[in-house]
Amino acid sequence: MKISSRSSGRLMLIVLGFTSAAVLVSGGLAFAAEGQEGVKSTPVLTADSADLKWQDIGDLPPGAKVAVLAKSGDWSVARVKFPPHYVVPPHSHPNAEAVWLISGQVGFGFGDKLDKTGPWLKPGAFFALQPGGMHYVWTGDEGGIIDVQVSAPGGITFANPADAPKKK
């Protein structure tokens, strides 16, 4: 029997659905293996968690803050907070990124020239970037918060080297 790509796609969705349901029933992914020798569980954080330790981001213009939500091996998830009317100039990273807009008024654009004419994204918006993908970010009156999942090695390269913050 030959399986078409459409059928195999449906099969994959069904398998993912059952897998997700099994994880939820077992008490959640972060705690599924808790209690097994050598396995550490990660505490659950919320957007308003007082446990977040915010730090300046030296590789971005002053004002942005970051808090690491999870880190394991060569990947991490960070929450990034941008102040109102903030701009991250066009830049790229050597690694892929997955980005979710958590809250606020944020615009994302692609390319090596800043163009803030795009639409404001709504919380829940998601996009993925390939390694080397040139992009930029700006905020409105509210500022914004994003979650970013990245893998090592990290780094940032600005399209215009003059946009890179000066290291002290």
Side-chain angles (χ1 to χ4, degrees), residues 51-82:
D51 296 332
L52 294 179
K53 293 179 178 38
W54 293 100
Q55 300 176 348
D56 292 333
I57 305 173
D59 289 338
L60 294 181
K65 302 281 186 185
V66 65
V68 176
L69 299 179
K71 186 171 177 126
S72 178
D74 68 347
W75 66 269
S76 63
V77 178
R79 180 151 294 165
V80 179
K81 184 172 20 176
F82 298 123

Side-chain angles (χ1 to χ4, degrees), residues 6-64:
R6 178 174 278 177
S7 297
S8 62
R10 287 185 190 142
L11 179 60
M12 181 60 82
L13 287 175
I14 292 169
V15 169
L16 287 172
F18 285 131
T19 303
S20 298
V23 168
L24 290 172
V25 169
S26 70
L29 184 59
F31 300 102
E34 186 174 358
Q36 293 180 2
E37 189 173 329
V39 176
K40 296 178 184 176
S41 63
T42 303
V44 175
L45 299 175
T46 60
D48 59 350
S49 176
D51 296 332
L52 294 179
K53 293 179 178 38
W54 293 100
Q55 300 176 348
D56 292 333
I57 305 173
D59 289 338
L60 294 181

Side-chain angles (χ1 to χ4, degrees), residues 48-125:
D48 59 350
S49 176
D51 296 332
L52 294 179
K53 293 179 178 38
W54 293 100
Q55 300 176 348
D56 292 333
I57 305 173
D59 289 338
L60 294 181
K65 302 281 186 185
V66 65
V68 176
L69 299 179
K71 186 171 177 126
S72 178
D74 68 347
W75 66 269
S76 63
V77 178
R79 180 151 294 165
V80 179
K81 184 172 20 176
F82 298 123
H85 306 287
Y86 186 80
V87 173
V88 180
H91 64 280
S92 65
H93 307 281
N95 52 311
E97 291 187 328
V99 181
W100 294 265
L101 176 57
I102 303 302
S103 66
Q105 190 177 32
V106 177
F108 292 95
F110 301 94
D112 60 359
K113 303 283 184 227
L114 180 66
D115 177 9
K116 299 191 301 184
T117 60
W120 295 113
L121 300 179
K122 296 179 182 176

Side-chain angles (χ1 to χ4, degrees), residues 151-167:
S151 60
I156 186 168
T157 301
F158 287 92
N160 178 359
D163 288 335
K166 305 295 183 242
K167 301 291 182 186

